[in-house]
Amino acid sequence: VETVDDLGAGLDGLPPTEGLRYRLSGGARVVVRPSGTEPKLKCYLEVVVPVEGKVSAARERAVRDLDALRADLSAALGL
């Protein structure tokens, strides 16, 4: 984790919301916020892969990176 942003004040032109955004090395992000309708947390995972050449190659890399991020998060949470 390189930085943590509190989304409660609103960031990057977005309205304030309960939640935290974790920026990871390599450009990935994880947003954690409470559900508005259920007693649980929601996690949103995002990876950014530049397109250098074929779009299909970038998509494949993004899928691999996202799968790795999901596995790391699941392991950290004991899931």
Side-chain angles (χ1 to χ4, degrees), residues 1-3 21-30 45-47 69 72:
V1 175
E2 291 185 345
T3 62
R21 178 174 59 192
Y22 298 90
R23 292 180 180 265
L24 310 177
S25 62
R29 292 181 286 221
V30 176
L45 311 179
E46 178 182 33
V47 297
L69 179 57
D72 289 347

Side-chain angles (χ1 to χ4, degrees), residues 3-76:
T3 62
V4 178
D5 300 314
D6 182 352
L7 302 177
L11 290 171
D12 302 331
L14 297 172
T17 187
E18 290 185 44
L20 299 171
R21 178 174 59 192
Y22 298 90
R23 292 180 180 265
L24 310 177
S25 62
R29 292 181 286 221
V30 176
V31 175
V32 180
R33 69 171 189 82
S35 171
T37 58
E38 302 171 282
K40 64 181 179 181
L41 289 176
K42 293 188 173 188
C43 296
Y44 300 88
L45 311 179
E46 178 182 33
V47 297
V48 178
V49 176
V51 176
E52 298 171 357
K54 293 186 176 185
V55 172
S56 59
R59 284 187 180 139
E60 289 173 12
R61 180 174 166 212
V63 167
R64 284 193 309 271
D65 291 354
L66 189 57
D67 286 344
L69 179 57
R70 185 181 297 116
D72 289 347
L73 185 59
S74 292

